[in-house]
Amino acid sequence: MTVPRASVVVCTYNRAGRLADALASIDRLEDPGVPYEVVVVDNGSTDGTPALLRDWVARAHPGGPVRRTLHEPRPGKSFALNLAVTSTTTDWVALTDDDVLVAPDWLAVAARSLAERPDVDYLGGKVLPLWETEPPAWFSMAERDLFGTIAILDYGDEGFDFDGRVPLGANIVYRRRAFERAGLFRTDLGRDHSTLRGQEFPEHLLRLEAAGGRGRYVPDLVVHHHVPARRLTKRYYREWFYWKGISRALVTETAPIDELGVDYRAVPRIAGVPRFMLRQAVVTAVDMAGRRLRGDLPGAFVREAWLCYLYGFARQSWRIWRENGHRRRSG
């Protein structure tokens, strides 16, 4: 049997219906010119996922890519990702999600791009929407700050080396050496079945960059992401931005310098909260009010979402400050 040089990895939790479509799109991949395997990590699903995966493995085509499943009972996508990384030995790992349809040439584009740029450690590409329903009036494709919440990414049609912008976990390809340089994903970040924690990929990429790693945006590396109607609500956006703020505050503990070069070890703080964020909250609130008066609903809601982010960041920063104070006193 040919030893695979690449691994396609899908982590899944209780999305049997979407997973079936995602795996069908992977089955339609064009020959990338390198042997590869497909690995699905079941993160403790309680729906029909285990039965679906047993049938999927049994239907593997002779001579086709190896199909494997792994089981990670600990809740949290980072646990599932780490199991996938440590359970594979291939040269590179292509990650996507269980609610994504990959383009037929997705893996071929990745193989070609890695061959053309042996200096890069990871690739990222477009994540385009598959709308379950029409977006509401307060959502505008012109407001790119709203993209991340529903996992949309489009940096245009020109490739570039990542320069502060980051790819999405639904469409990222890592060389094996990236994990040798930066380690695995933090397990206190990423979805855990009960919250909207995230930022496991940005935090990992910050560590990788600090270790000398480089990445490239490849516009032809394309996947399509299902956007359910339940995510197109203001309530979901508020909650998502709040948890993004919490997650980003946690990120600063191990990756204190962010994509814009802000060093959170050096910024002035009040009770653990970065002082510049307090000023930013006031400016954002005034801007939001002005846009509402002018009838700019999408622009106003972007500012409201960022206020939720600032609240989450401030709250988690205060918690860290308080816990560190207790540690010093008890020590």
Side-chain angles (χ1 to χ4, degrees):
M1 182 173 60
T2 304
V3 177
R5 288 179 49 201
S7 298
V8 174
V9 171
V10 180
C11 299
T12 189
Y13 172 69
N14 279 358
R15 278 200 187 127
R18 292 294 167 196
L19 176 62
D21 294 337
L23 293 177
S25 74
I26 292 172
D27 287 344
R28 293 191 292 268
L29 283 171
E30 299 169 2
D31 182 3
V34 296
Y36 67 97
E37 64 178 352
V38 182
V39 180
V40 181
V41 185
D42 181 0
N43 195 199
S45 297
T46 57
D47 64 353
T49 296
L52 182 150
L53 291 177
R54 287 193 296 270
D55 179 65
W56 172 72
V57 170
R59 291 186 291 103
H61 302 294
V66 174
R67 295 181 177 184
R68 292 200 292 132
T69 63
L70 301 169
H71 183 255
E72 174 51 77
R74 291 172 293 181
K77 186 176 179 180
S78 292
F79 286 114
L81 288 168
N82 289 343
L83 178 62
V85 171
T86 56
S87 299
T88 56
T89 58
T90 48
D91 299 324
W92 46 279
V93 180
L95 302 176
T96 189
D97 284 342
D98 57 3
D99 55 355
V100 163
L101 304 181
V102 300
D105 64 350
W106 178 63
L107 210 56
V109 170
R112 182 175 67 249
S113 300
L114 289 172
E116 291 172 351
R117 289 293 303 272
D119 58 317
V120 302
D121 297 271
Y122 66 94
L123 307 172
K126 293 182 180 179
V127 183
L128 304 179
L130 294 171
W131 304 106
E132 185 175 273
T133 187
E134 285 294 316
W138 50 263
F139 180 92
S140 171
M141 290 295 287
E143 295 287 357
R144 290 179 173 268
D145 286 359
L146 298 180
F147 282 13
T149 310
I150 50 177
I152 298 176
L153 184 144
D154 186 350
Y155 290 139
D157 296 329
E158 297 295 327
F160 59 84
D161 288 357
F162 280 111
D163 53 1
R165 290 169 284 186
V166 295
L168 291 179
N171 189 12
I172 186 168
V173 180
Y174 280 99
R175 290 191 197 271
R176 176 68 51 182
R177 70 180 186 225
F179 300 106
E180 296 168 355
R181 285 182 168 183
L184 299 173
F185 297 96
R186 274 181 56 174
T187 54
D188 60 338
L189 299 173
R191 299 293 171 86
D192 62 357
H193 305 177
S194 62
T195 71
L196 291 178
R197 287 188 321 192
Q199 301 300 302
E200 69 274 23
F201 285 100
E203 191 276 339
H204 188 261
L205 295 176
L206 284 172
R207 277 190 282 130
L208 179 57
E209 180 181 343
R214 302 176 63 184
R216 183 157 182 85
Y217 170 70
V218 180
D220 294 333
L221 190 70
V222 177
V223 305
H224 292 81
H225 174 247
H226 172 72
V227 182
R230 63 179 177 81
R231 292 191 182 183
L232 292 170
T233 66
K234 288 187 175 182
R235 179 177 180 178
Y236 181 84
Y237 264 83
R238 292 180 186 118
E239 186 177 2
W240 189 92
F241 268 82
Y242 168 74
W243 279 102
K244 179 179 180 179
I246 288 177
S247 302
R248 289 298 293 186
L250 290 169
V251 165
T252 62
E253 292 187 286
T254 54
I257 302 176
D258 71 9
E259 297 92 341
L260 300 177
V262 177
D263 188 343
Y264 283 86
R265 295 168 299 188
V267 298
R269 294 175 180 260
I270 299 175
V273 180
R275 195 167 64 194
F276 78 87
M277 285 192 165
L278 301 176
R279 296 193 301 270
Q280 192 174 6
V282 174
V283 171
T284 302
V286 171
D287 190 15
M288 178 185 69
R291 288 175 183 272
R292 282 180 175 171
L293 290 173
R294 296 193 299 272
D296 179 9
L297 296 181
F301 186 66
V302 168
R303 276 69 189 174
E304 181 181 343
W306 278 115
L307 285 174
C308 295
Y309 167 85
L310 292 169
Y311 174 59
F313 196 110
R315 188 174 184 182
Q316 185 61 41
S317 296
W318 173 77
R319 285 172 177 163
I320 294 171
W321 171 79
R322 185 183 61 178
E323 290 170 2
N324 287 341
H326 286 317
R327 292 192 195 105
R328 285 194 295 270
R329 286 194 294 271
S330 62

